[in-house]
């Protein structure tokens, strides 16, 4: 029954929770039954039966068809039932209180124009009952109907505000999930691109050692180093992919600025001509900024290994009080067409730099290709 009611409310575009609809109809029925009991022996039994049917008519239709009738239908039937009951007022009288619940219900689900229209109808019923049959305490009942109408509007706006808040949270959660996926994708891309580039350099060296020099020892050394890089890459990929699962992952320290020297040394061992210079203490760089510096250096070296493996690269890391500066410069190949900016490498660099508020410039600079990253003090933890 709950699922059926929720489906009916959604189909009728009523944003109220299912239990509000149940409570409203239950209160209406209980109050109407009390008012009918007050008039037993005063009004004919057939009239009382008619009143009861008018009060529960819309609920019976829903039970039979699963369809919620338009709100004006219930307003007309319930107001008509109360009008019949008020031809014989009682003291105290529960019939006018049915109009209080009706006014609140209509104000909470109907358009404002419809709600005010039927508010006028409810007030007219009470005024006529006071002027004709002589309803006692009509002013109190009028005030109660106005209060119910106001409460309905308050509930309406509260439900709307709650729905807007939930929608905002859902959008924020989706944005967070998307951001996390992009971050993991960048991590996987950086690890795979760098490791494959270095592995291919070692494999190429081993192949040339066998084909040209017949040097088995050099070939074995290259293959061993390629195997080591591949295994390290697989370990990094597994650790990163574990972030997507719900299972607890092993704790590993992410690379930082202090690991750039080791990264350069391993890449240099693959045959690239790299000169590295560092100024300042890399320990002063925060973890997030250090990871960004490391990944951008890694991506730059992967691009060099892929597009310009015979070029000379110069890497300079300066850790100052006001900013951290990383520059990776390499000579362009003789055929510029060999160097392409297609792919996700540069996009990933830009995304990482934007994440920490750093300035990134990547592109040709004279006869070289330059990647220049300036990290502000707010991201590095430095104090100016």
């Amino acid at each position: 029954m709950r699922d059926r009611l929720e489906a009916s409310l959604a189909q009728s575009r009523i944003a109220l929770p299912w239990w509000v609809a149940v409570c409203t109809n239950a209160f209406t029925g209980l109050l109407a039954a009390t008012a009918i009991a007050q008039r037993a022996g005063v009004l004919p039994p057939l009239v009382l039966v008619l009143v009861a049917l008018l009060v529960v008519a819309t609920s019976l239709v829903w039970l039979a068809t699963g369809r919620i009738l338009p709100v004006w239908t219930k307003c007309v039937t319930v107001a008509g039932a109360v009008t019949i009951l008020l031809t014989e007022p009682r003291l105290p009288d529960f019939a006018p209180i049915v109009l209080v619940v009706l006014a609140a219900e209509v104000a909470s689900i109907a358009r404002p124009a419809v709600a005010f229209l039927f508010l006028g109808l409810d007030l007219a019923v009470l005024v006529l009952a006071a002027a004709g049959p002589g309803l006692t305490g009509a002013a109190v009942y009028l005030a109660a109907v106005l209060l119910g109408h106001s409460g309905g509007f308050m509930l309406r706006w509260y439900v709307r505000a709650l729905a807007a808040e939930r929608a905002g949270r859902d959008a924020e959660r989706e944005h967070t999930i998307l951001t996390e996926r992009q971050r993991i994708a960048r991590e996987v891309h950086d690890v795979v691109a760098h490791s494959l580039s270095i592995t291919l350099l070692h494999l190429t060296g081993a192949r040339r050692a066998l084909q040209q020099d017949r040097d088995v020892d050099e070939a074995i050394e290259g293959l061993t180093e390629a195997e080591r890089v591949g295994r390290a890459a697989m370990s990094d990929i597994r650790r990163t992919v574990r972030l997507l699962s719900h299972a607890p992952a092993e704790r590993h320290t992410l690379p930082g600025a202090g690991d750039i020297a080791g990264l350069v040394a391993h890449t240099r061992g693959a045959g690239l001509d790299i000169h590295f210079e560092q100024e300042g203490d890399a320990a002063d760089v925060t973890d997030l900024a250090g990871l960004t510096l490391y990944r951008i250096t890694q991506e730059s070296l992967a691009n060099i290994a892929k597009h310009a493996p015979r070029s000379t690269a110069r890497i300079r890391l300066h850790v100052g009080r006001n900013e951290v500066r990383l520059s990776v410069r390499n000579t362009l190949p003789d055929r510029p067409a060999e160097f392409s900016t297609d792919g996700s490498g540069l996009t990933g660099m830009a995304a990482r730099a934007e994440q920490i508020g750093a300035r990134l410039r990547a592109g040709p600079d004279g006869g070289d290709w330059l990647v220049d990253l300036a990290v502000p003090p707010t991201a590095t933890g430095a104090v100016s």
Side-chain angles (χ1 to χ4, degrees), residues 85-366:
L85 292 174
L86 289 180
T87 58
E88 292 290 342
R90 303 285 94 183
L91 186 66
D93 203 333
F94 282 83
I97 305 179
V98 176
L99 297 179
V100 176
V101 179
L102 179 64
E105 180 180 0
V106 175
S108 64
I109 63 177
R111 297 193 305 271
V114 176
F116 279 106
L117 175 63
F118 286 101
L119 172 65
L121 176 62
D122 295 341
L123 296 178
V125 170
L126 294 175
V127 171
L128 291 176
L135 176 64
T136 303
V140 176
Y141 293 129
L142 288 171
V145 170
L146 290 173
L147 182 61
H149 182 79
S150 301
F153 269 117
M154 292 175 60
L155 177 61
R156 177 190 185 94
W157 289 111
Y158 172 77
V159 170
R160 285 189 173 185
L162 183 61
E165 182 181 357
R166 288 176 176 173
R169 289 181 179 178
D170 291 341
E172 182 179 359
R173 182 171 63 252
E174 291 296 329
H175 177 72
T176 302
I177 293 174
L178 178 60
T179 302
E180 183 66 10
R181 287 178 176 175
Q182 291 175 343
R183 185 187 70 82
I184 294 174
R186 288 195 300 268
E187 291 289 333
V188 173
H189 171 271
D190 292 345
V191 171
V192 171
H194 177 76
S195 60
L196 285 180
S197 298
I198 302 304
T199 300
L200 288 175
L201 287 177
H202 283 296
L203 293 177
T204 300
R207 177 178 58 79
R208 289 179 177 175
L210 291 175
Q211 286 183 338
Q212 300 176 4
D213 303 331
R214 305 297 179 180
D215 191 338
V216 178
D217 292 337
E218 183 178 351
I220 292 176
E221 182 180 352
L223 292 175
T224 301
E225 186 63 19
E227 180 183 8
R228 186 197 65 78
V229 173
R231 292 184 182 277
M234 288 300 300
S235 177
D236 288 342
I237 292 173
R238 289 193 186 98
R239 174 177 57 83
T240 304
V241 171
R242 284 195 191 100
L243 297 176
L244 293 171
S245 65
H246 296 288
E250 298 177 5
R251 294 185 177 271
H252 294 274
T253 303
L254 292 173
D259 299 307
I260 294 178
L263 174 66
V264 171
H266 286 137
T267 307
R268 187 187 292 123
L272 292 182
D273 184 10
I274 307 174
H275 301 277
F276 176 67
E277 178 184 355
Q278 178 176 329
E279 297 178 0
D281 189 0
D284 295 336
V285 183
T286 62
D287 293 341
L288 180 59
L291 177 62
T292 301
L293 292 165
Y294 181 91
R295 291 305 188 197
I296 289 180
T297 304
Q298 188 180 49
E299 177 63 26
S300 299
L301 292 176
N303 288 336
I304 294 172
K306 178 180 178 181
H307 300 289
R310 298 182 181 179
S311 67
T312 299
R314 294 177 177 81
I315 301 176
R316 184 173 183 270
L317 176 63
H318 173 75
V319 181
R321 290 179 56 85
N322 295 326
E323 70 173 4
V324 175
R325 197 70 175 261
L326 171 69
S327 65
V328 181
R329 180 186 295 272
N330 67 279
T331 54
L332 289 171
D334 296 334
R335 292 181 296 172
E338 293 180 359
F339 198 94
S340 171
T341 58
D342 296 338
S344 60
L346 294 179
T347 303
M349 288 185 189
R352 288 185 181 278
E354 182 181 359
Q355 185 180 16
I356 63 172
R359 302 188 307 275
L360 175 70
R361 182 169 69 91
D365 183 55

Side-chain angles (χ1 to χ4, degrees), residues 26-78:
F27 290 155
T28 301
L30 180 61
L31 292 170
T34 304
I36 291 172
Q38 287 181 315
R39 291 158 176 83
V42 178
L43 292 176
L46 290 179
V47 174
L48 296 179
V49 172
L50 175 61
V51 169
L53 289 176
L54 288 175
V55 172
V56 300
T58 54
S59 299
L60 293 177
V61 171
W62 178 79
L63 288 173
T65 65
R67 178 171 174 262
I68 297 178
L69 294 178
V71 66
W72 63 266
T73 306
K74 185 172 184 178
C75 290
V76 171
T77 57
V78 174

